[in-house]
Amino acid sequence: MRETLFNWLQNDISGARCLDLFAGSGSFGFEAASRGASLVTMVESNAEAARKLVQNADLLGANEVVRVVHGNVEKFLRATTTPYDIIFMDPPFSGNLADSTCRILSRGELITGSTMLYIESLATKEQLPLPPTWDIIRQKDHGTVRSTLINLKPIVHDI
């Protein structure tokens, strides 16, 4: 799946500001860093996993590009003002974390106008409940997992 994703993004990674939500092992973020991303912020709530991310960034000599945040994804998103070009999201499939995280992202503070979001979710008959301004660019099922790449546009609210 990672190979498919980075084939999709091959012309967009170099120089991009990337956000890896629910980072886990950091595979998306480290791959983005190795392909020339200018900034990779990894957010992970598990303390041991976050510690390993810091160690791996050090081992790979990626400390100038990779920033690890140990904390809750939703709290991080509500507190940060840094816009990102590419956002990776591979949340645990239970708990509706993808839905709640997408609602926060739809506010638009972290979206540049050309921001792309990659989501891994369960492959089901139903589509992800996305805001109407978001467009699915590519989607592929790999067994029980669905890979979706989305072009994000902030929802404009009338005043």
Side-chain angles (χ1 to χ4, degrees):
M1 287 186 291
R2 190 173 53 222
E3 181 180 355
T4 296
L5 167 64
F6 283 94
N7 285 338
W8 292 347
L9 296 173
Q10 65 185 338
N11 297 322
D12 302 297
I13 291 288
S14 182
R17 293 177 314 269
C18 299
L19 178 60
D20 188 354
L21 301 174
F22 310 97
S25 67
S27 61
F28 295 121
F30 286 125
E31 185 72 24
S34 76
R35 291 179 182 238
S38 64
L39 169 69
V40 176
T41 302
M42 298 180 183
V43 183
E44 175 55 49
S45 64
N46 179 282
E48 181 61 21
R51 188 180 66 73
K52 291 272 189 199
L53 290 171
V54 171
Q55 286 178 343
N56 289 337
D58 189 46
L59 286 171
L60 295 169
N63 289 327
E64 297 207 8
V65 174
V66 174
R67 175 178 161 234
V68 176
V69 176
H70 170 231
N72 177 279
V73 165
E74 290 184 7
K75 287 181 182 176
F76 170 81
L77 291 174
R78 292 181 198 283
T80 192
T81 57
T82 302
Y84 290 93
D85 303 303
I86 300 170
I87 301 170
F88 304 104
M89 186 167 68
D90 182 12
F93 293 157
S94 62
N96 292 327
L97 291 170
D99 293 348
S100 60
T101 305
C102 284
R103 277 194 300 281
I104 295 168
L105 289 172
S106 72
R107 295 184 325 207
E109 288 94 347
L110 310 180
I111 298 173
T112 66
S114 61
T115 299
M116 288 182 281
L117 170 66
Y118 171 77
I119 301 177
E120 283 192 4
S121 60
L122 283 175
T124 64
K125 291 180 183 178
E126 296 82 33
Q127 288 292 332
L128 292 167
L130 302 176
T133 58
W134 293 10
D135 298 317
I136 294 176
I137 301 169
R138 296 205 174 174
Q139 192 168 63
K140 185 174 183 179
D141 290 350
H142 309 268
T144 61
V145 177
R146 176 169 293 149
S147 298
T148 306
L149 185 62
I150 303 162
N151 184 20
L152 304 186
K153 294 179 184 141
I155 296 174
V156 179
H157 300 283
D158 293 331
I159 299 177

